[in-house]
Amino acid sequence: MVGLTSAAGVISLLDEQNDDVKVYALQKLNGLVDQFWAEISDAVSKIEIMYEDTEFKDRQLAALVASKVYYHLGEFDDSLNFALGAGNLFDLSLKSEYVDTIVSKCIDKYIALRVQEYQDPQNAEPLDPRLKDVVEKMFTRCYQDGEFKQAVGIALEAHRLDVVEYSIKTGGPSNILPYVYELTMTVVLDQTYRSTLLKLLVDQFRKLEVPDYVSINQCLVHLGDHQASAELLQTLVNSGAQPDLLMAYQLAFDLESNATQKYLTKVNNALPTEAPDSPAAPKFQKVKSILSGKETIKLQLEFLCRNNHTDMLILKNSKTVLDARLSIYHSAVTFANAFMNAGTTSDDFLRQNLEWLSRATNWSKFSATAALGVIHKGHLSQGLNLLQPYLPQDGVMASPYSEGGSLFALGLIHANHGDDVLEYLRGVLKNTQVEVLQHGACLGLGTAGMATDNDEIYEELKNVLFTDSAIGGEAAGLSMGMVMLGTASEKALEEMLQYAHDTQHEKIIRGLAVGISLVMYGKEDAADTLIEKLASDKDPIMRYGGMYTIAMAYCGTGNNKAIRRLLHVAVSDVNDDVRRAAVTALGFILFRSHKQVPRIVQLLAESYNPHVRYGACLALGISCAGTGLLEAIELLEPMTKDNVDFVRQGAFIALAMVLIQQNETQNPKSAAVRTMYEEVIKKKNEDALAKFGAVLGQGIIDAGGRNVTISMQSRSGHSNMPAIVGVALFTQFWYWFPATHFLSLAFTPTAVIGVNADLNMPEIEFTSNAKPSLFAYIPPTKPPTATVIEKVATAVLSTTAKAQAKAKKAKTAEPEAMEEDEKPEEKAEDVKEDETKSTKTKKEPQFEKLGNLARVVPAQLKYIVFDKDARYVPVKKDVTGGIVVLLDNRSGEPETLIQTTAAAAPAAAAAAGSEAKMEVEEEEAPLPEPFTYPFDQE
């Protein structure tokens, strides 16, 4: 049968007077419209007239045909309007491209109208009941098909909390609740609405048969409800059940890793103060001790000290090759040593190289002393003792640079846990007029008092700012931002903006610009007005601050509006610094979806502007830190050969951030990058900036004794505030090398540390279901072996040959002795070859047993399994690494505990340090020791 080639005959029936004929024509056209829509479109006005005629008996059919015609014409809004007019004839159950597209448009319009109604009820467009009816049908269809997650997705965007709640109850809370929580934290951008959803989630998590206290705790931190957090801890401690008490300890550890100092202090103060003889008193004391951070830091310090795998030979080789007379090289090795030994309390390299260290002058000396803060980071109990030889002392005249550096070091040791040293640092700041000491004290106060919202400290920093000293003012501006971190304080913002416009010092303006960005940390939409103001400022340094404000306000959100703005500035601003900052800021916004970053910055990485290329390097390094993402490495590798020195520097640093804790089995590029660093450092004609980047890369890739990673988010998925702030301040090393030390705030120990009810570490065993080589430590560098130079055969004169022949006759025994000497060596080589053959044939196991204080990198966590029948099992369901509180299934039996050793080592080092202080104050190297020339001994 020949098919129709035209719909003209059917279309002509639309002109008939009889309604039945018109209905017949519409029915035919409804079946033909997908094929002949182009022809029918000429008559669509006639079909519209039929729909608008209230007396026409089949208006809905006319609407359906018109809708399909407009769909094919690409006029989706008109198509949607007519589809709504089609009523029940628009069948949602049909599986066709037309139905899917119109339903999608319908949902989009419904969401837009609902959001408008939520944000501005007075001026909102009224909601079409037909539109609502289609969406309700869609929800019903989702329920029938068991697609509850689809219903939740639409409901969350459309502000339909009733549908969210119904989907959770009907679809199974254990399945739907984590999904709702994830969407709430990633998709929902409006902070007020997010808070409403989090309150709903808290309520739902409480209603579970076994309440999910871990998730409740996470929601409360996001809500900033310290009172509810305190009540939750109090309820668990007072319940009397051992599992509940252990859960309270676990929640306290989670709080400590996710919340700000201000929040933790409020929770601590809201907990009851029990009488000393009360049975609950020691329990609450432990909770308060955990919240103070002391327990976490003590355990992490123990892990870093025990598992220190720093390769000192790398440092030694770099130091030997680089000329210490140039301060840039001296500082580079200082930073690399600080990063490699961060938190390990091992200052062996400095003690072994006192003469080299003494060459540091001025700001190099400041950085060298501040490096002690990175090395001893977290050693709260001994911080002041360790730095005593360097700290300012009454009546003792020492180098202001080493004293200023020691104040910064004190802040780094107590980073984010500054209760014990804030008063001391404030005292020093009040009593000095020396710019370098003010600089160190301000940085120390900001680092130790991070996010405390302490007005007194803020006022003291402001007093330093108002002295209009370029050196002190820059540090004061940064530190004001750190102290008021994430508060969005109007008073602070107004004063900082005003002074930034009043002062003539670029350093102060830059310090304030970055400080302002920190004040707006995590504020998202609330920062838009300030961002607009900064981005349109005529001063490029303020626009630079505007880019960092976008980065801090929207960090980790993946907000499209923020990304569009940054990309626009990256290609349009007239100032290179602003463009570089805009591209770098992309890394902060997209760290949760790091796989998208290489695609986004690909074209920027090929920009003609070297500053944009440098920004692309840092954006990749920041967002993909610790992931080993191959796409990122492939983009960075060509930039290590860039013709501009600072672009190469950025590529070296970014590669180290991406490849931190990646061995050759996990990432084949790891070994090549390490070799590249060595080659660049050895090159005689390489630029100093590129060498600086390579040495810094060596420090970062092996940071913390190879036991830390750089992570922008905490283990529970929260934004890791100290890490984000640390990396943002680290990027300021472009202008000021001492800012390099701030990267240590981003170092997160990768361990599984199990603690019992007494917060002691029992001996435990758990399984990693992966090959041991996959996550093994990188093997240490082998020292160079003595190479035997083969002698070239030389021409022998005839007279010499005769003399040698006579000598051979006289000495007959010697050749035999020589042969005997060589034989054992050959045997040793044979043995070695046999050993290597046997190791090759030995099959590697598919799993390994690990114990307490074991290094477990983030990629390894999915392979970690605790035996359910073991004596100790985690109180929390999912093992996310870090500190794990353990439930003892055989509590009556004696325990084998691991003794802590980390506290003793630095204390001894401090005592030794006071006697034999590292001579960073010495301007000249000491005279060499006398020795005897060996020439006369032959």
Side-chain angles (χ1 to χ4, degrees):
M1 181 180 174
V2 180
L4 278 175
T5 56
S6 172
V10 181
I11 293 168
S12 65
L13 296 177
L14 296 174
D15 295 326
E16 295 292 328
Q17 296 299 316
N18 191 322
D19 281 359
D20 290 336
V21 176
K22 289 179 182 177
V23 170
Y24 173 78
L26 287 171
Q27 286 171 345
K28 286 290 179 185
L29 288 174
N30 188 35
L32 298 171
V33 69
D34 291 338
Q35 188 178 358
F36 297 108
W37 58 268
E39 265 188 277
I40 300 168
S41 65
D42 292 334
V44 75
S45 56
K46 297 174 185 176
I47 301 170
E48 282 185 50
I49 291 166
M50 290 179 198
Y51 168 64
E52 287 163 5
D53 183 359
T54 52
E55 293 179 3
F56 185 64
K57 63 180 183 182
D58 216 339
R59 292 176 63 218
Q60 289 186 339
L61 181 59
L64 183 65
V65 175
S67 172
K68 288 182 178 180
V69 172
Y70 278 118
Y71 162 73
H72 286 293
L73 288 169
E75 300 289 342
F76 295 125
D77 289 338
D78 290 334
S79 178
L80 172 59
N81 287 331
F82 283 109
L84 292 174
N88 290 329
L89 290 181
F90 179 59
D91 189 356
L92 297 180
S93 61
L94 290 176
K95 301 283 185 186
S96 73
E97 194 176 318
Y98 161 70
V99 172
D100 290 346
T101 305
I102 299 306
V103 167
S104 171
K105 293 288 171 188
C106 190
I107 291 167
D108 287 346
K109 188 164 186 182
Y110 178 76
I111 288 168
L113 291 172
R114 286 284 301 174
V115 170
Q116 191 182 10
E117 185 184 332
Y118 176 81
Q119 291 175 345
D120 188 7
Q122 302 297 325
N123 304 315
E125 185 184 330
L127 194 64
D128 188 334
R130 298 174 304 171
L131 190 68
K132 188 177 179 181
D133 188 45
V134 171
V135 175
E136 289 296 344
K137 285 179 184 174
M138 200 64 215
F139 283 137
T140 308
R141 180 176 156 187
C142 287
Y143 299 150
Q144 288 169 352
D145 296 349
E147 297 289 350
F148 293 100
K149 287 185 178 179
Q150 283 186 15
V152 164
I154 299 166
L156 279 176
E157 289 195 72
H159 294 250
R160 288 287 302 273
L161 296 184
D162 56 325
V163 176
V164 174
E165 206 165 337
Y166 178 80
S167 299
I168 290 169
K169 285 177 186 171
T170 318
S174 58
N175 184 29
I176 305 296
L177 269 173
Y179 181 70
V180 177
Y181 175 74
E182 185 188 343
L183 290 185
T184 302
M185 298 316 303
T186 52
V187 175
V188 179
L189 301 177
D190 185 278
Q191 289 193 305
T192 313
Y193 177 47
R194 188 187 294 163
S195 297
T196 309
L197 280 169
L198 286 169
K199 285 173 187 170
L200 171 72
L201 283 168
V202 168
D203 191 42
Q204 293 296 323
F205 280 126
R206 287 186 194 277
K207 287 179 181 175
L208 294 172
E209 285 183 36
V210 179
D212 189 345
Y213 295 116
V214 174
S215 299
I216 293 169
N217 197 34
Q218 287 179 20
C219 293
L220 293 176
V221 172
H222 283 299
L223 285 166
D225 192 346
H226 65 273
Q227 192 61 45
S229 286
E231 285 170 8
L232 178 63
L233 291 171
Q234 191 175 342
T235 306
L236 288 168
V237 171
N238 289 334
S239 77
Q242 184 72 356
D244 285 350
L245 176 64
L246 295 175
M247 181 55 79
Y249 293 159
Q250 184 66 67
L251 296 186
F253 278 119
D254 290 353
L255 270 177
E256 193 280 327
S257 66
N258 294 322
T260 63
Q261 280 195 74
K262 183 182 175 185
Y263 187 89
L264 292 170
T265 306
K266 285 182 176 178
V267 173
N268 215 334
N269 294 338
L271 288 170
T273 308
E274 299 282 329
D277 55 348
S278 163
K283 297 172 185 175
F284 279 111
Q285 197 55 46
K286 280 177 186 161
V287 171
K288 289 182 177 183
S289 174
I290 295 168
L291 291 174
S292 72
K294 289 174 182 173
E295 296 297 332
T296 303
I297 286 171
K298 184 178 78 176
L299 294 166
Q300 288 180 346
L301 196 68
E302 183 69 26
F303 162 71
L304 290 171
C305 291
R306 276 176 179 262
N307 296 288
N308 186 3
H309 280 68
T310 302
D311 196 337
M312 299 294 274
L313 198 58
I314 294 174
L315 277 172
K316 186 184 170 189
N317 292 342
S318 297
K319 179 191 79 72
T320 307
V321 172
L322 297 172
D323 185 356
R325 289 174 298 179
L326 288 174
S327 68
I328 186 171
Y329 293 150
H330 197 287
S331 295
V333 177
T334 302
F335 294 136
N337 172 53
F339 289 160
M340 280 190 184
N341 291 294
T344 63
T345 71
S346 168
D347 52 16
D348 293 350
F349 178 77
L350 299 178
R351 294 186 180 282
Q352 289 165 13
N353 296 282
L354 293 176
E355 187 272 330
W356 170 85
L357 192 62
S358 67
R359 295 183 199 174
T361 57
N362 301 335
W363 287 105
S364 290
K365 188 182 293 185
F366 181 95
S367 298
T369 318
L372 290 171
V374 179
I375 292 168
H376 294 285
K377 181 175 176 280
H379 205 266
L380 307 186
S381 59
Q382 293 291 331
L384 277 166
N385 291 344
L386 287 161
L387 295 169
Q388 198 60 49
Y390 313 98
L391 291 167
Q393 292 167 16
D394 293 334
V396 179
M397 285 298 291
S399 165
Y401 292 98
S402 65
E403 289 183 351
S406 68
L407 294 170
F408 183 22
L410 196 60
L412 288 166
I413 287 175
H414 293 261
N416 214 19
H417 298 91
D419 294 344
D420 299 340
V421 293
L422 288 176
E423 285 305 316
Y424 173 79
L425 288 167
R426 284 171 64 186
V428 174
L429 189 60
K430 278 181 192 172
N431 299 327
T432 185
Q433 296 303 314
V434 181
E435 285 185 329
V436 181
L437 285 184
Q438 286 180 337
H439 187 88
C442 286
L443 290 178
L445 269 174
T447 314
M450 196 188 291
T452 52
D453 191 14
N454 188 316
D455 277 326
E456 292 175 6
I457 296 175
Y458 171 80
E459 289 299 327
E460 283 164 19
L461 292 167
K462 191 171 74 175
N463 292 338
V464 174
L465 179 72
F466 287 170
T467 61
D468 209 41
S469 150
I471 292 171
E474 180 186 30
L478 287 171
S479 298
M480 286 159 77
M482 284 194 270
V483 171
M484 305 306 281
L485 181 64
T487 59
S489 163
E490 287 184 19
K491 175 191 169 219
L493 289 169
E494 191 179 332
E495 289 175 345
M496 292 167 84
L497 272 170
Q498 184 61 46
Y499 197 78
H501 286 120
D502 291 346
T503 186
Q504 297 299 308
H505 291 294
E506 279 194 9
K507 287 171 79 70
I508 295 178
I509 299 170
R510 188 174 296 107
L512 285 167
V514 177
I516 286 166
S517 73
L518 298 178
V519 176
M520 295 308 288
Y521 170 85
K523 291 302 169 191
E524 298 182 27
D525 294 346
D528 282 351
T529 311
L530 177 66
I531 290 166
E532 195 66 50
K533 192 174 179 181
L534 291 169
S536 56
D537 199 292
K538 63 182 180 184
D539 186 343
I541 302 176
M542 296 308 288
R543 296 203 300 278
Y544 174 89
M547 297 307 102
Y548 272 93
T549 307
I550 297 173
M552 294 296 99
Y554 288 98
C555 60
T557 60
N559 186 287
N560 284 330
K561 180 178 67 175
I563 293 167
R564 273 198 303 272
R565 174 160 223 150
L566 289 171
L567 289 171
H568 174 68
V569 174
V571 295
S572 65
D573 200 277
V574 293
N575 185 274
D576 285 335
D577 286 355
V578 180
R579 294 176 73 172
R580 188 180 69 247
V583 184
T584 304
L586 289 168
F588 289 99
I589 291 172
L590 288 163
F591 66 74
R592 287 186 203 279
S593 46
H594 62 271
K595 289 182 180 175
Q596 294 179 20
V597 180
R599 184 172 51 82
I600 290 172
V601 302
Q602 186 171 10
L603 290 174
L604 296 170
E606 296 166 8
S607 167
Y608 73 92
N609 188 322
H611 290 264
V612 173
R613 298 202 296 275
Y614 179 91
C617 289
L618 285 193
L620 286 164
I622 291 163
S623 57
C624 304
T627 61
L629 189 70
L630 279 173
E631 290 88 339
I633 296 167
E634 283 164 8
L635 265 185
L636 288 167
E637 278 182 331
M639 287 192 273
T640 61
K641 298 177 181 69
D642 198 279
N643 58 358
V644 179
D645 53 359
F646 64 77
V647 177
R648 296 201 295 278
Q649 180 196 78
F652 294 146
I653 291 169
L655 275 170
M657 294 171 84
V658 174
L659 287 168
I660 190 169
Q661 285 198 323
Q662 300 273 322
N663 63 22
E664 202 173 353
T665 311
Q666 214 173 339
N667 196 313
K669 303 273 186 185
S670 174
V673 169
R674 289 166 186 277
T675 309
M676 179 181 64
Y677 289 150
E678 289 176 23
E679 288 170 357
V680 168
I681 293 164
K682 284 176 186 172
K683 261 190 200 174
K684 291 243 172 107
N685 58 348
E686 184 60 87
D687 293 297
L689 280 180
K691 284 189 177 183
F692 181 87
V695 178
L696 225 55
Q698 284 186 327
I700 295 167
I701 203 167
D702 285 339
R706 296 177 172 167
N707 291 306
V708 299
T709 189
I710 297 171
S711 179
M712 298 288 128
Q713 53 184 331
S714 67
R715 294 181 181 89
S716 53
H718 290 251
S719 293
N720 187 349
M721 186 190 70
I724 292 165
V725 173
V727 174
L729 293 172
F730 162 71
T731 59
Q732 305 310 309
F733 82 87
W734 176 277
Y735 306 100
W736 195 233
F737 280 167
T740 309
H741 286 309
F742 280 114
L743 186 63
S744 64
L745 302 182
F747 293 157
T748 310
T750 51
V752 169
I753 305 171
V755 295
N756 61 13
D758 299 321
L759 305 186
N760 293 322
M761 293 177 289
E763 286 191 359
I764 59 171
E765 191 177 72
F766 54 92
T767 308
S768 168
N769 287 317
K771 291 180 179 179
S773 63
L774 189 59
F775 302 109
Y777 283 103
I778 293 107
T781 311
K782 290 177 182 175
T785 52
T787 52
V788 179
I789 300 166
E790 289 184 13
K791 290 183 180 179
V792 180
T794 52
V796 182
L797 294 172
S798 57
T799 51
T800 313
K802 286 174 185 175
Q804 285 176 346
K806 286 177 184 177
K808 271 188 181 179
K809 286 176 184 176
K811 297 179 182 179
T812 52
E814 276 182 22
E816 289 174 15
M818 291 284 281
E819 283 174 17
E820 283 176 13
D821 287 341
E822 287 172 5
K823 280 178 186 175
E825 288 183 13
E826 287 171 16
K827 284 180 183 175
E829 284 173 13
D830 292 343
V831 171
K832 281 182 185 175
E833 282 177 14
D834 292 341
E835 281 177 6
T836 51
K837 282 177 186 175
S838 64
T839 50
K840 280 179 186 176
T841 53
K842 193 177 178 183
K843 197 176 178 184
E844 188 182 7
Q846 297 297 310
F847 67 94
E848 64 176 325
K849 294 288 185 183
L850 299 172
N852 211 340
L853 291 168
R855 182 185 87 147
V856 177
V857 298
Q860 192 178 0
L861 284 168
K862 60 186 175 187
Y863 299 106
I864 297 298
V865 178
F866 277 82
D867 185 0
K868 291 178 183 177
D869 300 324
R871 176 172 181 177
Y872 298 101
V873 290
V875 74
K876 191 162 70 168
K877 279 187 292 186
D878 300 319
V879 178
T880 54
I883 296 166
V884 181
V885 180
L886 302 166
L887 178 65
D888 187 354
N889 289 326
R890 299 195 283 275
S891 53
E893 297 178 15
E895 291 183 288
T896 310
L897 301 176
I898 296 171
Q899 297 302 315
T900 55
T901 54
S914 59
E915 292 169 17
K917 178 182 171 183
M918 283 181 271
E919 296 293 335
V920 286
E921 277 89 347
E922 292 282 331
E923 292 294 342
E924 293 183 357
L927 289 169
E929 291 178 8
F931 65 97
T932 310
Y933 283 99
F935 302 134
D936 300 329
Q937 293 176 3
E938 289 181 359

